[in-house]
Amino acid sequence: RIIRAYDGAIVKTIGDAIMAVFADPAKGVGAALAIQQQIQEFNAAHADASLIIKLGLHQGPCLAVNLNERLDYFGTTVNLAARLQGQSQGNDVVISDRLYQDPAVTTLLATTPLKIDQFETAVKGFDEHFRLFRLALFI
């Protein structure tokens, strides 16, 4: 529901993960933050059944193909986005430096009460280190 509200689309599910796409990077980040907000509200009301959601976002070019009558995406951008989700500790959103530098994302982050931690790390499947940003809502 939140992904659709932010003009995104779910591409596929992979186990208990989903891959979604957004034409507007700021809407992707907004959706991720809205999801974390809703999870925090759920957890506050259901302490005995709390959930942890890990989210990672990246932007860039990718290959879009029709596969089994469904649109699917492939490429380095998709692979890095999946790896960023793995950098999440839960109750946060990890975004790439490229996404962080997007002017619309910068504006969104400047107007949203967040704790933003910058860190560098190696990412499985990539030779270089990446500068990443961990976004956490103030509870």
Side-chain angles (χ1 to χ4, degrees):
R1 176 183 54 78
I2 292 173
I3 291 169
R4 284 190 307 269
Y6 282 81
D7 298 327
I10 294 175
V11 175
K12 62 183 164 184
T13 59
I14 309 153
D16 61 356
I18 66 161
M19 180 171 72
V21 295
F22 298 85
D24 179 338
K27 287 189 177 186
V29 174
L33 294 171
I35 289 168
Q36 287 298 14
Q37 177 68 42
Q38 192 161 61
I39 291 299
Q40 287 180 11
E41 291 168 5
F42 174 88
N43 287 344
H46 302 89
D48 60 328
S50 63
L51 299 173
I52 295 176
I53 302 290
K54 296 181 178 185
L55 298 164
L57 290 91
H58 180 53
Q59 77 174 42
C62 59
L63 299 170
V65 298
N66 279 315
L67 184 64
N68 299 324
E69 300 181 19
R70 294 191 64 165
L71 192 59
D72 204 351
Y73 297 84
F74 297 92
T76 303
T77 297
V78 174
N79 292 337
L80 182 55
R83 298 293 191 259
L84 296 187
Q85 176 268 330
Q87 293 292 324
S88 173
Q89 298 171 343
N91 301 317
D92 61 0
V93 177
V94 175
I95 65 172
S96 65
D97 182 53
R98 182 175 183 166
L99 188 57
Y100 184 82
Q101 299 299 330
D102 182 277
V105 172
T106 300
T107 299
L108 172 68
L109 298 180
T111 59
T112 306
L114 296 169
K115 179 180 180 201
I116 302 174
D117 292 321
Q118 175 184 319
F119 64 102
E120 290 193 23
T121 189
V123 177
K124 182 181 173 185
F126 293 87
D127 293 333
E128 67 268 30
H129 275 67
F130 290 91
R131 183 168 75 148
L132 305 175
F133 295 86
R134 184 178 318 281
L135 315 177
L137 296 166
F138 288 117
I139 300 174

